[in-house]
Amino acid sequence: MMRPLEIEVKFHIRDVSRIRRDIADLRGARSGKAFETNICYDDRRHSLRQRGELLRLRQAGRENILTHKMKPAKADRRFKVFGELEIRVDDFETTGQILSSLGFQPQQVYEKWRESFDLDGTHLCLDEMPFGNFLEIEGTPDAIQLAAARLNLDWSERILLN
């Protein structure tokens, strides 16, 4: 079964104001800002992590999303690539209870402010977190590299880890 792929890279951002200005100067369209709570789940044996998978429940403003990320059939060392299935859910708390009743327990909880933009066929997410600020660029490989270059980001400093 073919699963949709998420292709992205991240960059550590030291000057959030500058990156916002650069995105605006390039006519990037701001699509919103929300506070997010993310809970990653796994079973007691950490089976998902051992397989390189992620099960996450996210609350972003009024939107709740359940996501399952899987390793792709073919890896690409230039980008972070995952098969990704997502579904919106109505009730954040009840979805967490369902996951727990199925044997999945919260393994990691993290919160952030996420501001989103669209630029040159990519989706940009500016994440402000307690331990640093990051810009995620998601799209096709060519569009990601073009957006990174246009934003004067050093490709050798991209982050491919979660």
Side-chain angles (χ1 to χ4, degrees):
M1 174 173 53
M2 185 84 150
R3 295 197 166 113
L5 288 180
E6 174 188 59
I7 304 169
E8 68 183 34
V9 296
K10 292 182 184 184
F11 292 90
H12 180 249
I13 301 298
R14 289 164 187 81
D15 187 344
V16 171
S17 297
R18 182 196 66 81
I19 202 72
R20 277 194 192 104
R21 276 193 314 274
D22 290 350
I23 293 168
D25 289 348
L26 294 170
R27 307 236 190 284
R30 186 175 185 267
S31 54
K33 184 173 183 176
F35 185 76
E36 288 186 4
T37 299
N38 296 270
I39 305 173
C40 297
Y41 289 82
D42 207 338
D43 61 23
R44 293 189 200 292
R45 295 184 197 152
H46 303 283
S47 302
L48 295 174
R49 187 179 65 195
Q50 289 175 19
R51 292 192 309 258
E53 298 181 22
L54 175 81
L55 180 61
R56 179 186 64 214
L57 180 59
R58 170 179 285 164
Q59 184 174 55
R62 295 182 180 184
E63 185 174 64
N64 305 306
I65 301 172
L66 180 64
T67 303
H68 180 213
K69 294 187 180 197
M70 303 132 292
K71 284 184 176 180
K74 184 178 178 186
D76 186 332
R77 291 196 168 127
R78 300 169 301 156
F79 303 94
K80 186 173 117 181
V81 181
F82 280 97
E84 180 180 68
L85 297 172
E86 289 189 323
I87 187 169
R88 285 179 173 72
V89 295
D90 290 334
D91 187 315
F92 185 78
E93 298 298 328
T94 301
T95 303
Q97 290 172 357
I98 290 169
L99 293 171
S100 292
S101 71
L102 292 171
F104 295 103
Q105 300 301 319
Q107 300 296 311
Q108 179 186 31
V109 178
Y110 59 97
E111 298 176 323
K112 62 185 170 186
W113 280 99
R114 173 168 272 190
E115 190 171 5
S116 300
F117 306 86
D118 294 305
L119 174 69
D120 296 336
T122 63
H123 186 68
L124 309 178
C125 296
L126 181 56
D127 294 334
E128 296 178 64
M129 305 175 84
F131 53 86
N133 304 309
F134 300 88
L135 180 69
E136 178 180 293
I137 306 174
E138 184 177 339
T140 65
D142 290 342
I144 291 170
Q145 288 182 297
L146 176 62
R150 292 189 70 205
L151 290 167
N152 296 310
L153 298 168
D154 184 343
W155 188 252
S156 69
E157 293 182 8
R158 72 193 182 286
I159 300 167
L160 302 179
L161 301 173
N162 284 332

